Amino acid sequence: MDLQDQLKNLFPEHEPSPEEAIEQVAHELYVQKEPMICKFEKRKGKATTIIEGYEGTDEDFKILAKEIKTKLSVGGTFKDDSIIIQGDYRDKIMTILKEKGFKVKRVGG
């Protein structure tokens, strides 16, 4: 017995309404003219990649951080107007950002 059958047993007079199609609009990220900085640091002995210099809203930057983390399948965080990714992924991050139309500058080796 699935959920629909159980609901029909509990509420026999109820007529389910047809589900409406929800349109999802793709979110456009603000592409800036100044390059973003992609740098490498060691924090507590572990390699981290830091992305800074985004001029758009914090929400856009958080969306960008989540997208980078899911594409690379790594951990990371958004903190103090910068994205901190666990590991040295500068080359891969730079190609992802360039595909999106951002200018990226490599700093630190």
Side-chain angles (χ1 to χ4, degrees):
M1 184 180 260
D2 66 343
L3 182 62
Q4 294 296 328
D5 293 335
Q6 291 176 5
L7 288 173
K8 285 179 186 177
N9 289 340
L10 290 173
F11 306 104
E13 303 90 34
H14 179 69
E15 293 288 326
S17 62
E19 295 187 23
E20 299 175 5
I22 300 172
E23 294 182 29
Q24 291 188 0
V25 179
H27 186 75
E28 291 289 325
L29 293 174
Y30 170 73
V31 179
Q32 61 195 27
K33 294 181 181 177
E34 294 295 316
M36 291 176 27
I37 297 171
C38 185
K39 62 183 178 179
F40 171 76
E41 271 187 20
K42 280 202 167 191
R43 294 188 175 183
K44 297 182 182 177
K46 301 195 179 194
T48 57
T49 305
I50 301 169
I51 304 162
E52 297 175 331
Y54 186 69
E55 297 172 353
T57 62
D58 283 347
E59 286 300 316
D60 287 349
F61 209 34
K62 286 179 184 177
I63 291 170
L64 186 64
K66 184 172 183 172
E67 193 170 316
I68 289 171
K69 290 189 300 183
T70 53
K71 279 190 177 180
L72 296 176
S73 300
V74 296
T77 185
F78 172 79
K79 202 186 278 187
D80 300 327
D81 294 331
S82 63
I83 301 172
I84 302 168
I85 303 291
Q86 297 173 352
D88 186 10
Y89 292 100
R90 286 177 289 179
D91 297 328
K92 293 178 183 178
I93 291 172
M94 287 175 66
T95 56
I96 291 170
L97 291 175
K98 285 179 183 176
E99 287 173 0
K100 292 196 159 291
F102 290 100
K103 295 178 184 172
V104 185
K105 191 174 193 180
R106 183 180 175 132
V107 177

